Amino acid sequence: MKSTEGRHPAVTQASPSPATAGTSTDGTQGPPRRRAGAARWGAYAILFAIAAFSIMPFSWVILASLDSDATIFVRLPEEWTVQNFVTVFRSAGGVQLITNSLIYAGGATVVLVIATTLAGYALSRYEFPGRRGFMLGLLMVRVVPPTATIVPLYVIATDLGLLNTYHGLILILASLEVPLGVWIMKGFFDTVPIEIEEAAWMDGATRLQAAFRIVLPLAGPGVGAAALIGFMGAWNQFLVPLVLISDQSRIPISIGLFRAWVAYTNVDWGLLAALSVVYIIPALVFYIVARRVLQQSLAGGLAGT
């Protein structure tokens, strides 16, 4: 018999575990991890490019508004100045443009809040034939683009004497946002239990007293959401004022910005940028103030619908 002394035992090669399958013998990462890292950096590069593309117009507006010799290109001003803003308020009628826009947007907001509050409460608390079809019809109206109805809207405004009037444009701007506002308010009133109103009735309150003193404060975030939607919609509206307002003393700032672009052969880029900044600020301030109310209102509205 042959002796087995002095022989080394057979060594079996163990297969790599799944945890170390992507790692080489020298401790470096294998191809799968490298591909994942490259994909992540590629995603970051795409997001950075999209962010830069989105920020570029705002950068141009801010820099050009403070440039004494602004051009169409994004660049740091050689001479920083606020003369463009002075020109907006002194020579370009900026005060009148902002005042008109605040009248239109503020008036439309008030009308919208009153109308949608009453309609939302009625749709939430009363059952009547055709209620569901009526609400779906409101959504259908919202889907129709304003360009498809601008001609009949102009004819109606002409027949009713609403052209070149503050109240006429306020009513029309408010009506454009009514469908969405009604749905939001109806959803919030649905979240308020009817038992709360019934308890108020038992204590001697009338239906109107219970609605305004009990239900409406609980649906306050919905009122804030409707107000924000109404203000933003009226402030940003361009087509309707362009068609219905021809009086230069009553045009809003959105039309003034457009006419500053097309009025002259040689565009004053600094003045145009300054007017754009003035156009942005009121809507931005209104949104910042109402942001917390908007977040609460959207959450409550979704829960109620």
Side-chain angles (χ1 to χ4, degrees):
M1 297 179 59
K2 294 183 181 180
S3 175
T4 59
E5 294 181 0
R7 294 184 180 181
H8 297 285
V11 178
T12 59
Q13 185 177 3
S15 60
S17 62
T20 61
T23 306
S24 61
T25 56
D26 58 354
T28 60
Q29 293 182 347
R33 292 249 180 117
R34 291 177 180 174
R35 287 195 296 268
R40 183 169 59 252
W41 284 108
Y44 288 156
I46 294 174
L47 292 176
F48 178 80
I50 295 175
F53 181 78
S54 302
I55 294 174
M56 194 67 67
F58 297 98
S59 302
W60 177 84
V61 167
I62 300 297
L63 294 175
S65 65
L66 299 173
D67 194 347
S68 60
D69 187 22
T71 64
I72 197 173
F73 302 104
V74 179
R75 66 175 189 179
L76 290 175
E78 298 179 359
E79 181 182 353
W80 298 82
T81 180
V82 295
Q83 185 60 39
N84 293 321
F85 292 96
V86 175
T87 305
V88 165
F89 290 102
R90 286 187 178 178
S91 303
V95 175
Q96 184 66 44
L97 293 175
I98 294 176
T99 302
N100 291 338
S101 292
L102 290 176
I103 292 174
Y104 294 136
T109 301
V110 173
V111 173
L112 178 72
V113 168
I114 295 175
T116 56
T117 299
L118 296 176
Y121 180 83
L123 291 171
S124 175
R125 290 296 190 258
Y126 293 96
E127 294 286 345
F128 54 88
R131 172 173 169 269
R132 181 177 178 83
F134 174 75
M135 295 194 64
L136 293 178
L138 286 177
L139 287 182
M140 292 289 292
V141 172
R142 179 69 181 180
V143 171
V144 177
T147 52
T149 59
I150 192 64
V151 173
L153 188 63
Y154 177 82
V155 174
I156 294 173
T158 302
D159 293 338
L160 297 179
L162 299 179
L163 292 180
N164 293 314
T165 60
Y166 287 111
H167 62 277
L169 188 58
I170 286 174
L171 292 175
I172 293 172
L173 293 177
S175 65
L176 294 177
E177 305 298 332
V178 161
L180 183 58
V182 169
W183 268 86
I184 290 178
M185 291 304 302
K186 190 264 181 187
F188 270 92
F189 284 126
D190 285 345
T191 62
V192 180
I194 188 64
E195 290 78 12
I196 297 179
E197 282 188 271
E198 293 175 348
W201 298 339
M202 294 295 294
D203 291 338
T206 64
R207 178 176 286 274
L208 286 178
Q209 290 175 338
F212 283 98
R213 296 182 180 180
I214 305 299
V215 180
L216 187 59
L218 295 177
V223 177
L228 183 59
I229 291 172
F231 185 88
M232 291 297 185
W235 185 266
N236 296 329
Q237 185 59 244
F238 174 78
L239 179 61
V240 175
L242 179 65
V243 174
L244 300 183
I245 302 295
S246 59
D247 188 348
Q248 295 299 312
S249 63
R250 296 187 177 185
I251 61 173
I253 191 171
S254 58
I255 307 302
L257 184 64
F258 170 71
R259 292 185 176 177
W261 167 265
V262 301
Y264 307 102
T265 305
N266 187 16
V267 178
D268 188 344
W269 298 108
L271 177 63
L272 186 64
L275 191 59
S276 300
V277 172
V278 173
Y279 179 50
I280 293 172
I281 289 177
L284 182 62
V285 170
F286 190 87
Y287 171 75
I288 292 175
V289 172
R291 181 179 60 182
R292 184 172 299 179
V293 176
L294 177 64
Q295 293 173 348
Q296 297 175 357
S297 64
L298 289 178
L302 292 176
T305 55

